[in-house]
Amino acid sequence: MKIYLIGSLRNPLIPEIANKIRWSTGHEVFDDWFAPGPQADEYWRTYEIQRGRNYLEALEGHAAQNIFNFDKKHIDEADAGVLILPAGKSGHLELGYIRGQGKPGFILLEEENPERFDVMYQFATGVYGDLETLIDVLRGMK
């Protein structure tokens, strides 16, 4: 089984969480999107502005298309997705895309009583407050 791990480039726990899921379940966990580092989006924005391009133009550029197609390829190949909070707009869109394909999509909360509750997380296959419970669920999937 291939799991696409979704999260923030700024979350230093992503590789650790990926390894725990990988080692505990035996599943393939895709987290290679994390490699560019926490400032990748800011560097891309700065580069595009230096080129005189706005956001809409930048989205059509080669860099944006390459990154998007890389991520989408691995999302499409995945059997399930796991959104690790905190995460931004991209992560939530990725989870929605996974669920829209009819694949299981899970959410790992940052904390069980966040400052803001959101009822729409019920679109997820499951929402978990701790990694060990999520791992137990993933371990049972084939």
Side-chain angles (χ1 to χ4, degrees):
M1 174 174 208
K2 181 175 180 179
I3 298 170
Y4 188 91
L5 198 65
I6 305 165
S8 171
L9 287 167
R10 294 181 181 190
N11 185 346
L13 298 178
I14 294 296
E16 178 183 330
I17 292 170
N19 283 338
K20 284 183 182 177
I21 293 172
R22 188 177 291 117
W23 297 333
S24 299
T25 66
H27 298 318
E28 178 183 353
V29 178
F30 184 82
D31 63 331
D32 289 25
W33 55 265
F34 189 77
Q39 300 300 316
D41 292 336
E42 288 78 8
Y43 288 147
W44 171 60
R45 180 181 183 277
T46 299
Y47 169 73
E48 292 293 354
I49 289 172
Q50 287 173 340
R51 294 181 69 196
R53 296 172 72 165
N54 66 33
Y55 183 39
L56 295 176
E57 293 165 332
L59 284 173
E60 295 178 10
H62 292 290
Q65 290 299 306
N66 185 53
I67 294 164
F68 174 79
N69 289 325
F70 173 78
D71 288 350
K72 185 178 180 300
K73 172 190 182 297
H74 291 282
I75 292 170
D76 288 343
E77 291 175 354
D79 300 299
V82 175
L83 174 63
I84 307 297
L85 296 180
K89 295 177 268 188
S90 293
H92 286 80
L93 284 167
E94 289 172 348
L95 182 69
Y97 180 72
I98 286 170
R99 293 296 295 134
Q101 291 182 319
K103 298 175 184 179
F106 305 93
I107 298 172
L108 179 62
L109 297 173
E110 184 177 14
E111 55 186 292
E112 287 193 28
N113 277 316
E115 202 171 291
R116 184 173 182 271
F117 286 14
D118 193 324
V119 299
M120 293 304 160
Y121 279 2
Q122 294 177 91
F123 277 120
T125 305
V127 181
Y128 301 93
D130 67 278
L131 182 56
E132 295 310 315
T133 303
L134 173 60
I135 285 173
D136 287 342
V137 170
L138 296 173
R139 191 179 289 128
M141 297 180 68
K142 305 242 185 267

